Amino acid sequence: MKKTIKGIAAPLSLANVDTDVIMPKRFLITITREGLADGTFADLRFDNEGEVRPDFILNKQPWTTANILVVGDNFGCGSSREHAVWGMRQLGIDACIGTSFAGIFYDNARKNGLALPIVSSETQGDLLQLASDANGGEISIDLETRTITAGDFKAPFEMDDATQTALIRGRDDTMDSLEYVDAIRAFEARLSDTMRVSVIR
Amino acid sequence: MSLTLYDKLVDAHKVCDLPDGDMLIYVDFHIMNEYTSPQAFSGLDTKDLTVWRPEAHLAVVDHVNATRSSEPHDAASKLLIDNLEANCTKQGIAFYGLGDPRQGIEHVIVPEQGLVAPGMLIACGDSHTTTYGAFGALGFGIGTSEVEHVLATQTLRYKRMKTMRVTVDGDIALGGTAKDIIMKVVQVVGAGGANGYAVEFAGSAISNLDMAGRMTVCNMAVELGARAALIAADDVTAAALQGHPHSGQFEFIGENWASDEAAVFDKEFTITGAEIVPLITWGTSPDQSVPITARVPSGSDYVSPKDKAALGRALQYMGLSEGQSAQSIEIDTAFIGSCTNSRIEDLREAAKILEGRHVATGVEAIVVPGSAMTRLKAEAEGLRAIFEAAGFEWRPEAGCSMCLAMNDDIAMDGERVASSTNRNFEGRQGRGARTHLMSPAMVAAAAVTGHLADVRDFTRKTSK
């Protein structure tokens, strides 16, 4: 059970940050979920020689320990690669606060315990400003009440019920859905033969 | 009650409601590739689960394979390819691997094999699965955890989307193509403008398209954030279902797979056909495009500081100046391929421009047909000869190739590519690579001139 996410928030105001930027393809040639922390935002964090880019927010104090990102519009667009979310989790990111997220990224995040609170443009602006303050302190995301708090600042966020439940319970969707085998069998029984795909081997 | 095509498709596949507000929906057909499926198969193993209905899945190698040869170009890609084959053998799943005459880019081979029909629900661990909306089928991309979910249950947890209709009415302008239609839609609706929506394309400019064009439109709908794209099934669709290995096997009955006349959409956009002119992207998001006759935007074109900042960053990455004319942009590479534009119809359009002409000095030009079958057809039609005579490199193996550069077709830092693909993101075609999206014919025109060029200058002044 995880009802609250607390920590340092880093501002990443760029719009349309795509999953190619979150996890460049050279890190995708793998058959496991592990070892993706170094690849996460690799081209933003490191230069072509592999040296740390000192100007990038996650390379600066105090944001090196950030576990929350305040992001620009349409974050996570592009490729369906779940590696982007696995990598962010392995880098220690627990939540991204933004105005809109691409659909596949949103679903991938939920499966991996990455919270994506959706806020208004105004709240996004306020939080970007708060997060940019090196002495800004921690912010807190309450999943149950759908509220973000930072000092005196308080704002609501949107999150659908199913995602909220999944994040708080930390459940395994596959195992949960297998509790509905009877319903799945009943659905299949209603399908005519011409609606049952059988791929030629 | 009047329903949208999207709602009809969701209703027809709903297994049951779930207590948390989601529903379970039934997946008629599921496609896998070598890079987003390995962790799904290992998830099944860890949880000691089996595949619910192995015959309803197809696995294909397309993302990491080399296109110069049917041999993997390195050990890492070989591992992914061998791993997929082993998983499919173990689970009894159809596998179209390298060297198989049915192999190719997943979204190109599925229609070729007759594995899509109106009324189906198709999922795949690839965002461009929206392609199948061209057939009046509900197709959408999923992540690897969801791939595991489909394998184990033949269902997905699903939340109904809002609906959007984009109507493109009237004849499109000379030189405009299906690619220009969808690039214009992305420009108008915005890169995230359809997040949370299923988008139906309607209007005479859409219904006048052949199936290849409809697939191009639906394919790139994900670039506006659409979780699904749809075009009503009609006679063109019905004709396209014939003559394939699986033709006649499936019919998804129960509905007229079109939106009811009085159906209401949550959001509507209308674009007139005359606005569809040849476009190119100048930036690093697919919505950053201008007509080929126009100029790269300037800071003064934007009001909001956010937009000005985005312009500056994109121009810096792309190595362009504010207000530079589109046709002054010189290219290093021309690439024709990808699930968006590598079908036989695309190759024909590019070949029309290339016939009797040659690639400009210093430009490297590559064409990767979308499937083994497409390649053979193109060779039989004489298209390979045209491409090769024009100085294009004709790749013998099909795959995603330089669209996302997961194989050995990688653009170098600073290399500028005229590309028939779908994403111009930073680093998409290689670290530091600069991508300009456009139609296949426009790529051919750029290859021949050495800079971004107006395809209409070629079609108007044909020397023949």
Side-chain angles (χ1 to χ4, degrees), chain B residues 257-268:
Chain B
W257 299 116
S259 291
D260 295 332
E261 196 100 347
V264 176
F265 292 79
D266 296 309
K267 212 166 188 178
E268 297 251 18

mmCIF file with all atom_site columns, all heavy atoms in Angstrom, chain B residues 257-268:
data_model
loop_
_atom_site.group_PDB
_atom_site.id
_atom_site.type_symbol
_atom_site.label_atom_id
_atom_site.label_alt_id
_atom_site.label_comp_id
_atom_site.label_asym_id
_atom_site.label_entity_id
_atom_site.label_seq_id
_atom_site.pdbx_PDB_ins_code
_atom_site.Cartn_x
_atom_site.Cartn_y
_atom_site.Cartn_z
_atom_site.occupancy
_atom_site.B_iso_or_equiv
_atom_site.pdbx_formal_charge
_atom_site.auth_seq_id
_atom_site.auth_comp_id
_atom_site.auth_asym_id
_atom_site.auth_atom_id
_atom_site.pdbx_PDB_model_num
ATOM 1  N N   . TRP B 1 257 ? -19.911 -1.643 -39.791 1.00 0.00 ? 257 TRP B N   1
ATOM 2  C CA  . TRP B 1 257 ? -18.708 -1.057 -39.186 1.00 0.00 ? 257 TRP B CA  1
ATOM 3  C C   . TRP B 1 257 ? -18.458 0.357  -39.684 1.00 0.00 ? 257 TRP B C   1
ATOM 4  O O   . TRP B 1 257 ? -17.482 0.649  -40.370 1.00 0.00 ? 257 TRP B O   1
ATOM 5  C CB  . TRP B 1 257 ? -17.497 -1.971 -39.380 1.00 0.00 ? 257 TRP B CB  1
ATOM 6  C CG  . TRP B 1 257 ? -17.717 -3.311 -38.732 1.00 0.00 ? 257 TRP B CG  1
ATOM 7  C CD1 . TRP B 1 257 ? -17.787 -4.520 -39.365 1.00 0.00 ? 257 TRP B CD1 1
ATOM 8  C CD2 . TRP B 1 257 ? -17.916 -3.580 -37.330 1.00 0.00 ? 257 TRP B CD2 1
ATOM 9  N NE1 . TRP B 1 257 ? -18.020 -5.530 -38.445 1.00 0.00 ? 257 TRP B NE1 1
ATOM 10 C CE2 . TRP B 1 257 ? -18.105 -4.980 -37.192 1.00 0.00 ? 257 TRP B CE2 1
ATOM 11 C CE3 . TRP B 1 257 ? -17.968 -2.793 -36.179 1.00 0.00 ? 257 TRP B CE3 1
ATOM 12 C CZ2 . TRP B 1 257 ? -18.334 -5.604 -35.965 1.00 0.00 ? 257 TRP B CZ2 1
ATOM 13 C CZ3 . TRP B 1 257 ? -18.196 -3.411 -34.946 1.00 0.00 ? 257 TRP B CZ3 1
ATOM 14 C CH2 . TRP B 1 257 ? -18.372 -4.793 -34.850 1.00 0.00 ? 257 TRP B CH2 1
ATOM 15 N N   . ALA B 1 258 ? -19.402 1.220  -39.360 1.00 0.00 ? 258 ALA B N   1
ATOM 16 C CA  . ALA B 1 258 ? -19.298 2.656  -39.647 1.00 0.00 ? 258 ALA B CA  1
ATOM 17 C C   . ALA B 1 258 ? -20.080 3.376  -38.557 1.00 0.00 ? 258 ALA B C   1
ATOM 18 O O   . ALA B 1 258 ? -20.971 2.785  -37.938 1.00 0.00 ? 258 ALA B O   1
ATOM 19 C CB  . ALA B 1 258 ? -19.891 2.958  -41.022 1.00 0.00 ? 258 ALA B CB  1
ATOM 20 N N   . SER B 1 259 ? -19.738 4.632  -38.325 1.00 0.00 ? 259 SER B N   1
ATOM 21 C CA  . SER B 1 259 ? -20.498 5.402  -37.339 1.00 0.00 ? 259 SER B CA  1
ATOM 22 C C   . SER B 1 259 ? -21.909 5.658  -37.864 1.00 0.00 ? 259 SER B C   1
ATOM 23 O O   . SER B 1 259 ? -22.100 5.863  -39.069 1.00 0.00 ? 259 SER B O   1
ATOM 24 C CB  . SER B 1 259 ? -19.813 6.745  -37.067 1.00 0.00 ? 259 SER B CB  1
ATOM 25 O OG  . SER B 1 259 ? -18.617 6.534  -36.378 1.00 0.00 ? 259 SER B OG  1
ATOM 26 N N   . ASP B 1 260 ? -22.883 5.629  -36.978 1.00 0.00 ? 260 ASP B N   1
ATOM 27 C CA  . ASP B 1 260 ? -24.245 5.958  -37.382 1.00 0.00 ? 260 ASP B CA  1
ATOM 28 C C   . ASP B 1 260 ? -24.296 7.433  -37.792 1.00 0.00 ? 260 ASP B C   1
ATOM 29 O O   . ASP B 1 260 ? -23.549 8.263  -37.271 1.00 0.00 ? 260 ASP B O   1
ATOM 30 C CB  . ASP B 1 260 ? -25.217 5.705  -36.222 1.00 0.00 ? 260 ASP B CB  1
ATOM 31 C CG  . ASP B 1 260 ? -25.284 4.216  -35.873 1.00 0.00 ? 260 ASP B CG  1
ATOM 32 O OD1 . ASP B 1 260 ? -25.059 3.392  -36.780 1.00 0.00 ? 260 ASP B OD1 1
ATOM 33 O OD2 . ASP B 1 260 ? -25.549 3.904  -34.692 1.00 0.00 ? 260 ASP B OD2 1
ATOM 34 N N   . GLU B 1 261 ? -25.204 7.705  -38.699 1.00 0.00 ? 261 GLU B N   1
ATOM 35 C CA  . GLU B 1 261 ? -25.353 9.055  -39.253 1.00 0.00 ? 261 GLU B CA  1
ATOM 36 C C   . GLU B 1 261 ? -25.421 10.131 -38.158 1.00 0.00 ? 261 GLU B C   1
ATOM 37 O O   . GLU B 1 261 ? -24.769 11.164 -38.241 1.00 0.00 ? 261 GLU B O   1
ATOM 38 C CB  . GLU B 1 261 ? -26.643 9.110  -40.090 1.00 0.00 ? 261 GLU B CB  1
ATOM 39 C CG  . GLU B 1 261 ? -26.720 10.288 -41.008 1.00 0.00 ? 261 GLU B CG  1
ATOM 40 C CD  . GLU B 1 261 ? -26.338 9.897  -42.434 1.00 0.00 ? 261 GLU B CD  1
ATOM 41 O OE1 . GLU B 1 261 ? -25.797 8.809  -42.661 1.00 0.00 ? 261 GLU B OE1 1
ATOM 42 O OE2 . GLU B 1 261 ? -26.591 10.708 -43.311 1.00 0.00 ? 261 GLU B OE2 1
ATOM 43 N N   . ALA B 1 262 ? -26.208 9.848  -37.135 1.00 0.00 ? 262 ALA B N   1
ATOM 44 C CA  . ALA B 1 262 ? -26.457 10.869 -36.107 1.00 0.00 ? 262 ALA B CA  1
ATOM 45 C C   . ALA B 1 262 ? -25.500 10.736 -34.906 1.00 0.00 ? 262 ALA B C   1
ATOM 46 O O   . ALA B 1 262 ? -25.707 11.387 -33.877 1.00 0.00 ? 262 ALA B O   1
ATOM 47 C CB  . ALA B 1 262 ? -27.905 10.776 -35.639 1.00 0.00 ? 262 ALA B CB  1
ATOM 48 N N   . ALA B 1 263 ? -24.470 9.926  -35.056 1.00 0.00 ? 263 ALA B N   1
ATOM 49 C CA  . ALA B 1 263 ? -23.544 9.734  -33.929 1.00 0.00 ? 263 ALA B CA  1
ATOM 50 C C   . ALA B 1 263 ? -22.888 11.061 -33.547 1.00 0.00 ? 263 ALA B C   1
ATOM 51 O O   . ALA B 1 263 ? -22.563 11.878 -34.416 1.00 0.00 ? 263 ALA B O   1
ATOM 52 C CB  . ALA B 1 263 ? -22.475 8.715  -34.299 1.00 0.00 ? 263 ALA B CB  1
ATOM 53 N N   . VAL B 1 264 ? -22.699 11.262 -32.261 1.00 0.00 ? 264 VAL B N   1
ATOM 54 C CA  . VAL B 1 264 ? -22.116 12.512 -31.769 1.00 0.00 ? 264 VAL B CA  1
ATOM 55 C C   . VAL B 1 264 ? -20.695 12.232 -31.258 1.00 0.00 ? 264 VAL B C   1
ATOM 56 O O   . VAL B 1 264 ? -20.472 11.276 -30.528 1.00 0.00 ? 264 VAL B O   1
ATOM 57 C CB  . VAL B 1 264 ? -22.983 13.103 -30.633 1.00 0.00 ? 264 VAL B CB  1
ATOM 58 C CG1 . VAL B 1 264 ? -22.333 14.359 -30.057 1.00 0.00 ? 264 VAL B CG1 1
ATOM 59 C CG2 . VAL B 1 264 ? -24.380 13.409 -31.143 1.00 0.00 ? 264 VAL B CG2 1
ATOM 60 N N   . PHE B 1 265 ? -19.773 13.085 -31.669 1.00 0.00 ? 265 PHE B N   1
ATOM 61 C CA  . PHE B 1 265 ? -18.383 12.959 -31.240 1.00 0.00 ? 265 PHE B CA  1
ATOM 62 C C   . PHE B 1 265 ? -18.079 14.005 -30.175 1.00 0.00 ? 265 PHE B C   1
ATOM 63 O O   . PHE B 1 265 ? -18.657 15.091 -30.185 1.00 0.00 ? 265 PHE B O   1
ATOM 64 C CB  . PHE B 1 265 ? -17.448 13.126 -32.437 1.00 0.00 ? 265 PHE B CB  1
ATOM 65 C CG  . PHE B 1 265 ? -17.530 12.006 -33.426 1.00 0.00 ? 265 PHE B CG  1
ATOM 66 C CD1 . PHE B 1 265 ? -18.577 11.942 -34.344 1.00 0.00 ? 265 PHE B CD1 1
ATOM 67 C CD2 . PHE B 1 265 ? -16.587 10.992 -33.429 1.00 0.00 ? 265 PHE B CD2 1
ATOM 68 C CE1 . PHE B 1 265 ? -18.678 10.895 -35.243 1.00 0.00 ? 265 PHE B CE1 1
ATOM 69 C CE2 . PHE B 1 265 ? -16.664 9.945  -34.336 1.00 0.00 ? 265 PHE B CE2 1
ATOM 70 C CZ  . PHE B 1 265 ? -17.717 9.895  -35.240 1.00 0.00 ? 265 PHE B CZ  1
ATOM 71 N N   . ASP B 1 266 ? -17.141 13.675 -29.281 1.00 0.00 ? 266 ASP B N   1
ATOM 72 C CA  . ASP B 1 266 ? -16.800 14.619 -28.223 1.00 0.00 ? 266 ASP B CA  1
ATOM 73 C C   . ASP B 1 266 ? -16.067 15.835 -28.767 1.00 0.00 ? 266 ASP B C   1
ATOM 74 O O   . ASP B 1 266 ? -16.090 16.911 -28.167 1.00 0.00 ? 266 ASP B O   1
ATOM 75 C CB  . ASP B 1 266 ? -15.924 13.929 -27.172 1.00 0.00 ? 266 ASP B CB  1
ATOM 76 C CG  . ASP B 1 266 ? -16.685 12.805 -26.473 1.00 0.00 ? 266 ASP B CG  1
ATOM 77 O OD1 . ASP B 1 266 ? -17.799 13.067 -26.002 1.00 0.00 ? 266 ASP B OD1 1
ATOM 78 O OD2 . ASP B 1 266 ? -16.167 11.670 -26.428 1.00 0.00 ? 266 ASP B OD2 1
ATOM 79 N N   . LYS B 1 267 ? -15.389 15.657 -29.895 1.00 0.00 ? 267 LYS B N   1
ATOM 80 C CA  . LYS B 1 267 ? -14.625 16.762 -30.472 1.00 0.00 ? 267 LYS B CA  1
ATOM 81 C C   . LYS B 1 267 ? -14.604 16.608 -31.988 1.00 0.00 ? 267 LYS B C   1
ATOM 82 O O   . LYS B 1 267 ? -14.532 15.482 -32.486 1.00 0.00 ? 267 LYS B O   1
ATOM 83 C CB  . LYS B 1 267 ? -13.189 16.724 -29.930 1.00 0.00 ? 267 LYS B CB  1
ATOM 84 C CG  . LYS B 1 267 ? -12.523 18.066 -29.783 1.00 0.00 ? 267 LYS B CG  1
ATOM 85 C CD  . LYS B 1 267 ? -11.265 17.940 -28.932 1.00 0.00 ? 267 LYS B CD  1
ATOM 86 C CE  . LYS B 1 267 ? -10.696 19.302 -28.614 1.00 0.00 ? 267 LYS B CE  1
ATOM 87 N NZ  . LYS B 1 267 ? -9.511  19.198 -27.760 1.00 0.00 ? 267 LYS B NZ  1
ATOM 88 N N   . GLU B 1 268 ? -14.660 17.715 -32.698 1.00 0.00 ? 268 GLU B N   1
ATOM 89 C CA  . GLU B 1 268 ? -14.660 17.658 -34.166 1.00 0.00 ? 268 GLU B CA  1
ATOM 90 C C   . GLU B 1 268 ? -13.645 18.642 -34.743 1.00 0.00 ? 268 GLU B C   1
ATOM 91 O O   . GLU B 1 268 ? -13.500 19.760 -34.246 1.00 0.00 ? 268 GLU B O   1
ATOM 92 C CB  . GLU B 1 268 ? -16.047 18.049 -34.721 1.00 0.00 ? 268 GLU B CB  1
ATOM 93 C CG  . GLU B 1 268 ? -17.176 17.126 -34.309 1.00 0.00 ? 268 GLU B CG  1
ATOM 94 C CD  . GLU B 1 268 ? -17.686 16.267 -35.452 1.00 0.00 ? 268 GLU B CD  1
ATOM 95 O OE1 . GLU B 1 268 ? -16.961 16.126 -36.473 1.00 0.00 ? 268 GLU B OE1 1
ATOM 96 O OE2 . GLU B 1 268 ? -18.810 15.740 -35.323 1.00 0.00 ? 268 GLU B OE2 1
#
